[in-house]
Amino acid sequence: MKKTKKIIIFTVGIFFIILGLLGLVLPFLQGILFLIIGIFLLSFSFPKFRNWIQNKAEKSSSSLKIIKKIEKWIEIILGEV
């Protein structure tokens, strides 16, 4: 079940990344928002993404708190991945 959940999360993450890239070109999509969501979803599949996010967030304590809250919120929604 865990492997299936990881595959689904990975697929949805890639979908959001593609939407984000389209949103950077098309005026009616919010590209940055979709890219951020995609990166967070991929961080559950790839530890390198999670480490990259945490390294970037450590520069600002307020952003680190926000990222921790978002990660907890996503874990509540998706369950343990």
Side-chain angles (χ1 to χ4, degrees):
M1 184 67 178
K2 273 189 172 185
K3 188 172 184 175
T4 306
K5 189 183 270 190
K6 281 190 176 189
I7 291 171
I8 292 171
I9 291 172
F10 175 76
T11 305
V12 172
I14 293 295
F15 177 73
F16 274 105
I17 295 286
I18 291 170
L19 277 178
L21 293 174
L22 286 174
L24 293 176
V25 178
L26 300 173
F28 55 87
L29 286 176
Q30 296 294 323
I32 299 297
L33 179 65
F34 287 124
L35 285 172
I36 291 171
I37 292 170
I39 288 172
F40 268 110
L41 289 175
L42 288 178
S43 75
F44 286 100
S45 297
F46 298 107
K48 286 184 180 182
F49 276 123
R50 183 169 284 215
N51 291 336
W52 181 76
I53 291 171
Q54 288 178 350
N55 287 338
K56 297 298 178 188
E58 286 176 355
K59 295 179 181 176
S60 170
S61 62
S62 61
S63 64
L64 185 61
K65 289 177 187 176
I66 292 170
I67 288 173
K68 292 291 184 185
K69 285 181 184 178
I70 292 171
E71 284 180 347
K72 286 180 185 177
W73 184 71
I74 291 173
E75 285 178 355
I76 289 171
I77 292 173
L78 298 177
E80 187 177 329
V81 179

